[in-house]
Amino acid sequence: MDMGLKDRTVLVTGASSGIGADIARAYAAEGARVALTYRGDSTAGQRLARELGADRDTAMALRYSLAEPETVESAVAEVTRRWGGVDVLVANAVRWAPRRAPGEHFEDVPAGDWTAFLADNLAPTLRTVQLTVAGMRKRSWGRIVLISSHVALDGHRGQEFYGAAKSALHGFARSLAWDLGPDGVLVNVVCPGLTATERVRGGLPAEVRERETRLTPTGRLSSPEDIAGAVLFLGSAANGNTTGQIVTVAGGR
Ligand SMILES: NC(=O)c1ccc[n+]([C@@H]2O[C@H](COP(=O)([O-])OP(=O)(O)OC[C@H]3O[C@@H](n4cnc5c(N)ncnc54)[C@H](OP(=O)(O)O)[C@@H]3O)[C@@H](O)[C@H]2O)c1
């Protein structure tokens, strides 16, 4: 199937590692030009950009930090300056919440901590959409994929603020679909389940991964490539008329 991505420009935020890196690879494999962002790990970002063709100008790595609004503006401005705009936006970057200490409750989290967490995750993501969508509308074509989490649908102990930040994207996309639909721009949300990234494989106790696997009809956790496959379809011309949808990729959970 032709995904209609050849020479399209794609911006994938938070793509120096994990799921975002495989999303960037999937678009590059379809002939798209990929701008990928990193926050702290410039080496990993530049390495992936080289792998995806930085020397042929088919990839670039840009700094983008959710907590630094000027980097959000400058990353989009640089893609627009070099490649004329963004055809596909995959908003994947996340600021993780610090784990709560055992016995610490929701109400014990200082207000300044969680308001900053919500502000960092939500506002910059919406701003990135604002900055990229005007060009898509002008060209009468665009695709936006927002990366959420199964936590926004299922809930998870200790993840109230993360769940709040992610589920806000669902309401946002459902409404934005109405505003963008007549102009050929489609916006969808992908909710990964627990995904076997390097960070998850290295950082999560084996018994937690095994428990999560047992709860999954397919009997395995998603790989980053599994998530990338769903994102690639929704964020491509192969997706002709799906918008405002919340798609879970979690092995059937
Ligand atoms: N992995 C899972 O099991 C899972 C499950 C459900 C949903 N998700 C969602 O999937 C997406 C990717 O998750 P992941 O597990 O692949 O993440 P990850 O491995 O932690 O990768 C995070 C990426 O985001 C960048 N990043 C980190 N903090 C940032 C910040 N404050 N501002 C901008 N960029 C930042 C990192 O860049 P640097 O390394 O350069 O700092 C890196 O490129 C997220 O939206 C997450 O919520 C993941």
Side-chain angles (χ1 to χ4, degrees):
M1 177 187 272
D2 180 13
M3 309 296 277
L5 288 166
K6 181 130 185 42
D7 296 329
R8 297 266 190 207
T9 58
V10 182
L11 172 60
V12 188
T13 67
S16 52
S17 64
I19 293 171
D22 277 298
I23 294 172
R25 288 190 180 98
Y27 277 102
E30 292 297 323
R33 286 186 288 183
V34 180
L36 59 102
T37 78
Y38 59 89
R39 180 204 47 174
D41 195 346
S42 152
T43 307
Q46 300 297 348
R47 188 171 47 233
L48 183 57
R50 277 196 302 279
E51 177 191 322
L52 304 186
D55 56 342
R56 302 186 305 277
D57 200 34
T58 57
M60 62 171 122
L62 300 165
R63 182 151 191 281
Y64 171 106
S65 164
L66 292 164
E68 296 166 72
E70 64 282 6
T71 66
V72 172
E73 307 279 330
S74 63
V76 177
E78 182 58 10
V79 186
T80 306
R81 189 187 69 78
R82 276 174 60 177
W83 292 345
V86 174
D87 296 318
V88 179
L89 167 67
V90 182
N92 169 76
V94 68
R95 177 186 151 188
W96 294 110
R99 278 196 187 283
R100 287 218 297 269
E104 195 185 5
H105 287 295
F106 165 78
E107 65 271 28
D108 300 327
V109 180
D113 289 5
W114 67 259
T115 50
F117 174 79
L118 284 186
D120 280 359
N121 272 304
L122 196 53
T125 302
L126 270 51
R127 180 65 184 146
T128 309
V129 174
Q130 270 194 323
L131 290 167
T132 51
V133 91
M136 296 181 191
R137 214 193 280 273
K138 224 179 272 167
R139 293 186 292 279
S140 301
W141 196 92
R143 299 287 182 270
I144 298 165
V145 184
L146 309 172
I147 306 301
S148 175
S149 167
H150 70 105
V151 171
L153 301 167
D154 300 338
H156 201 278
R157 186 183 297 279
Q159 307 238 329
E160 298 85 359
F161 300 112
Y162 179 70
K166 289 299 194 184
S167 59
L169 298 176
H170 303 192
F172 171 64
R174 298 283 298 163
S175 289
L176 186 62
W178 286 92
D179 192 47
L180 299 179
D183 292 320
V185 182
L186 308 179
V187 53
N188 291 286
V189 176
V190 168
C191 296
L194 183 65
T195 301
T197 59
E198 240 171 73
R199 183 181 53 77
V200 166
R201 281 186 275 122
L204 211 63
E207 62 269 22
V208 176
R209 280 183 279 132
E210 280 156 20
R211 189 186 63 217
E212 293 290 322
T213 304
R214 279 196 301 277
L215 293 169
T216 304
T218 58
R220 68 176 182 86
L221 299 181
S222 296
S223 65
E225 293 87 346
D226 293 326
I227 311 303
V231 171
L232 185 73
F233 166 71
L234 290 168
S236 76
N239 173 16
N241 204 23
T242 299
T243 195
Q245 301 306 300
I246 318 300
V247 176
T248 304
V249 184
R253 268 188 87 181

